[in-house]
Structures are given as C-alpha cells and as structure tokens.
Amino acid sequence: MATFAKINRKNIKHCLLVALQVTGFCGFAWLCQTLAIYINSPIPGSVIGLTILLLLLSLKLIPERSVSLASKWLIGELLLFFIPPVVAVIKYQALLEHFGAVLIGAMLAASTCVLVGTAFTVDKLFKFEHKMHLKRQAAKTVQHVDQTMAVAEKVLTLPKTSPTDLAPKATEERQAA
Amino acid sequence: MSHSIVGLFCLVLTLIGYFASKALYKRQRKVWLAPIIIAPMAILITVVSLKIDVSDYFSYTHYLAAMLAPATIAFALPIYRERELIKQYPLTLSLGVICGLLLGLGSSWLLVKLTNLPPELSHSLMVRSVSTPFAIEATGSFGGIPELTAMLVLLTGVIGMLICEPLFKVANIKSAIAKGVALGASAHGAGAAKASEIGRQEGVIASLTMIFTGIAMVLTAPLFAALLH
C-alpha cells in the first residue's frame, strides 16, 4: 500500500513535469510564430523555433533535461495531433471517392521509386563514407601512437635524477619554513 | 450551445479513439492494427456515420492540430542527441536527404503529369513524403490544401511502412543506414516507427532523415514551386 502511494505520487509528479514542459513548448512555439508573422519571415515559426532550441542546446545555455520529457511526449504522440486534419478530409469526400483508386495506385508506384532509389544511393554512398571513416580513424590511431612514442622517447632519454640530487633542496625548503 | 457540445464530444472521441488504438496495438501487434491506420479510420467512420459537420468536428480538435508546431520544435532534441552520428556520416546523411527529397518531389510531379488528377489533389500531393507538421507548412507554396495534404501524407506513410520490407529484399539492401534513410525520407513518421522495429540504429537514422527532409522541404518549397509551375 505504501509503495503504491509512493509510485502514484511519483507518477503525478512526472505528469505535472511533462505538462509544465509541454506548456513551455507551446508558449515558445506561439512566440516563434508571432515573431515569424511580425518579421514577415518566409521560414515558418516552428522551424525558427527548432533552430533556436538546437542552438540553445548546443551552446549549453539550457540543460537537455529541461526539455527532454516534453520532447519525448510531443514526438511520441505526433499521430494524435494530425488526426483532426485527416478527419477533416470528409469535406472532400466526393473528390476522394472519384479519384481514390487512381490515387492509391499512383502513390504506390511513386513510393516504391523513392524507397528503392534512396536506399540504393545511400547504400553505395555509405560504403564509401564508411571506408573514409575507417581510414580517418586509422590515421588518428597512427598519429596517437607516434605521439606516445615521442613522449616515451623523451622520458627515456631524460638525464636520470638520483634521490641524492633532490635531498639538499628538501633540507633547504625545511630551513626556509 | 449544441454545437459546442458536439465539438466537445468530437474532442473526447478523438482522444479515446487514439489512446484505445494505441492500447490495442500494444496487445495485438498486427500491421493493420497499427494506430496510424486504425485510429484515423475509426474516428473518420464514426464522424461520417453520425453525420457530424466538419466545422463542429474542428471546433475543439483544432487545439490538437495546433500542437503540431510545438512538436516540430521538439525535433531539436533528437538532432542534438545524435550529433555524434551526424558528425560521423555527414555526406551519407545529407546526400540521402537531398536524394529522398528530390525523388519524393520528382515522383509526385511525374505522377501528377501521368494521371489527370484535379488541382486540389495534385497540388497537395507534392509534399506527401515529409512529416505532417512540415508538410502542412510547405504545402501552401504548391497551392495544396492542408486537410488533403495531411491525408495524403498519412497514406504515403502507411504505404511506405507496408512495402518497405519486400522492397529491401528485392533490391538487396542490407545496411542499416540505407534502410533508415530510405524509410525516413520516403515514409516520415510511419517509416521511422517501422525502422525502429527493424533495429535501433535504423530507427535513429530514419528519425534524423525524416526531420532533415522535413526542414529541407519547408525551406526549398517556394523554390521548387516556382520551378515546377
């Protein structure tokens, strides 16, 4: 019973935190959209907002955890947000009944082209870039080994300091103190 | 008065339909039960059979649609988190995005040329391969209609999700990055969800590609619209 209450309190706290962050996101989105309209920007407010948030995160001006919960929720429930516009197509019911079959057939063909074309191109490109990546990595390793060798050589060729050389210094320091 | 009650009912209906379909899919993992297919269908059928007016349906649910803007901004976090991956394969990712964007636009354009669809449909088709929030922003440049665009985007996602695996087999595509980029560029959110089912890396790459393709579409739509008209 006690653990249940504890979990419950934790859940409520989590939900409140998500709600708070999401509200923050909404406010920020509204600000960006107002700004976009105000400056007559060709780029929509939401994309401006995305860029600003990415900059803020990259410059470490805001911590990742302050946006992570809301970000996860908003992206996770994306489908919910575009159900209303999809349902609104009943306005165009007649149009879709007439052209539905042609549309789906044509879209199937087009999507096949995009999927296969992109996958094929990327597959070839990736093999090339992965090779480059491995080469870079190998070069870095070689450089690293060279540096280590150089340091090692320096250490090994250093004149040996015997404990007796250090002893007088220590006594001087003690006297000074 | 009665209008606002119908509006509220529609909001509740949408929420219940959505969360119920999600819960159902958790129990029964069948492709045709995926929330992206079943939730819009169930809600659409209910609204049509109850003869609810679109403006009534939209009176409260437009708040849900308004959440697309903050959701777009939220995409900044996955980009930030996967910055190491982006630094590792900048060429593959950027050329993959460009390739996906051009093929998506090109294939839609060709499709419009070959069939004689009415302008409302053909203009809304152009941006069909990018994620909904970006597509709705970009479709205006081509003269598309947001509602039709949202539906065509959804259909494209479902098609991509269903045909990807046999296609990858036939075309002999094995690398995670190629599968991820292709799914993200051609089938946006649905593709990214499918990619995460194939593997974690595929999922991350597909989400990144989806976001970048969406941004690229929004930024270049006015240019392409001027070119193609």
Side-chain angles (χ1 to χ4, degrees):
Chain A
M1 194 63 193
T3 48
F4 183 71
K6 207 171 164 189
I7 290 167
N8 224 1
R9 198 175 297 162
K10 229 181 186 175
N11 266 346
I12 292 170
K13 205 179 153 196
H14 177 85
C15 285
L16 281 176
L17 216 58
V18 173
L20 189 77
Q21 286 190 10
V22 170
T23 315
F25 261 91
C26 292
F28 181 56
W30 179 80
L31 263 177
C32 292
Q33 280 172 326
T34 314
L35 176 82
I37 294 168
Y38 185 70
I39 62 171
N40 213 352
S41 151
I43 302 165
S46 49
V47 175
I48 296 178
L50 193 161
T51 317
I52 294 175
L53 182 58
L54 189 58
L55 273 175
L56 288 175
L57 283 168
S58 308
L59 297 173
K60 309 253 182 257
L61 289 174
I62 56 167
E64 191 182 321
R65 64 184 158 76
S66 69
V67 291
S68 59
L69 284 178
S71 167
K72 194 179 161 213
W73 188 82
L74 283 166
I75 296 173
E77 313 296 346
L78 195 61
L79 173 63
L80 173 65
F81 310 140
F82 66 78
I83 286 177
V86 170
V87 171
V89 294
I90 47 178
K91 270 196 272 188
Y92 303 95
Q93 200 177 353
L95 195 71
L96 292 174
E97 268 168 17
H98 197 257
F99 292 100
V102 180
L103 198 64
I104 289 180
M107 281 171 78
L108 241 148
S111 280
T112 305
C113 286
V114 184
L115 253 171
V116 174
T118 313
F120 196 74
T121 316
V122 172
D123 204 42
K124 293 278 162 291
L125 258 171
F126 171 68
K127 275 177 193 150
F128 171 74
E129 196 171 32
H130 192 61
K131 245 185 233 161
M132 297 292 288
H133 178 69
L134 289 182
K135 246 185 213 168
R136 258 203 316 266
Q137 212 77 330
K140 244 188 210 165
T141 317
V142 168
Q143 206 183 359
H144 186 72
V145 169
D146 281 351
Q147 279 171 356
T148 319
M149 287 300 282
V151 171
E153 265 168 35
K154 248 188 213 164
V155 170
L156 290 175
T157 52
L158 223 56
K160 271 180 192 157
T161 40
S162 63
T164 47
D165 291 336
L166 296 170
K169 246 189 207 167
T171 42
E172 268 166 40
E173 269 170 21
R174 215 177 293 142
Q175 275 166 0
Chain B
M1 182 61 199
S2 70
H3 280 285
S4 65
I5 287 175
V6 174
L8 264 179
F9 168 76
C10 288
L11 178 64
V12 173
L13 171 79
T14 308
L15 287 171
I16 290 176
Y18 171 72
F19 287 108
S21 67
K22 258 183 105 167
L24 182 71
Y25 188 60
K26 237 180 210 164
R27 285 180 166 205
Q28 302 253 323
R29 290 217 162 259
K30 303 245 163 58
V31 184
W32 53 273
L33 280 180
I36 191 170
I37 300 173
I38 210 87
M41 285 254 270
I43 297 165
L44 198 78
I45 289 169
T46 315
V47 169
V48 170
S49 55
L50 291 177
K51 294 197 170 65
I52 294 171
D53 200 54
V54 182
S55 57
D56 283 342
Y57 177 79
F58 233 53
S59 61
Y60 282 96
T61 52
H62 81 265
Y63 292 114
L64 287 179
M67 295 293 280
L68 285 170
T72 312
I73 296 176
F75 283 132
L77 196 69
I79 300 179
Y80 174 72
R81 277 202 180 139
E82 302 300 335
R83 56 195 183 281
E84 289 307 316
L85 187 78
I86 297 170
K87 274 183 210 154
Q88 233 171 42
Y89 301 110
L91 192 71
T92 310
L93 281 173
S94 53
L95 284 179
V97 166
I98 294 172
C99 179
L101 184 74
L102 290 179
L103 275 176
L105 274 168
S107 66
S108 303
W109 183 75
L110 204 70
L111 188 159
V112 168
K113 287 280 147 196
L114 292 177
T115 56
N116 49 351
L117 293 168
E120 297 99 308
L121 275 175
S122 60
H123 292 165
S124 305
L125 256 178
M126 298 308 292
V127 295
R128 70 192 176 89
S129 58
V130 302
S131 187
T132 313
F134 300 108
I136 287 184
E137 292 285 4
T139 198
S141 303
F142 294 99
I145 297 163
E147 291 90 350
L148 282 174
T149 307
M151 190 215 61
L152 294 170
V153 167
L154 186 102
L155 258 181
T156 305
V158 173
I159 290 175
M161 198 173 82
L162 295 177
I163 63 173
C164 70
E165 273 176 321
L167 277 182
F168 287 151
K169 238 179 222 161
V170 171
N172 197 24
I173 306 293
K174 288 201 181 91
S175 65
I177 197 158
K179 285 181 184 173
V181 170
L183 273 168
S186 70
H188 53 91
K194 181 76 206 176
S196 341
E197 275 176 23
I198 300 177
R200 204 202 84 86
Q201 210 193 355
E202 284 89 339
V204 172
I205 291 164
S207 314
L208 281 177
T209 317
M210 168 189 89
I211 301 165
F212 287 134
T213 318
I215 298 173
M217 178 64 93
V218 171
L219 297 181
T220 57
L223 184 83
F224 282 114
L227 260 173
L228 294 176
H229 274 259

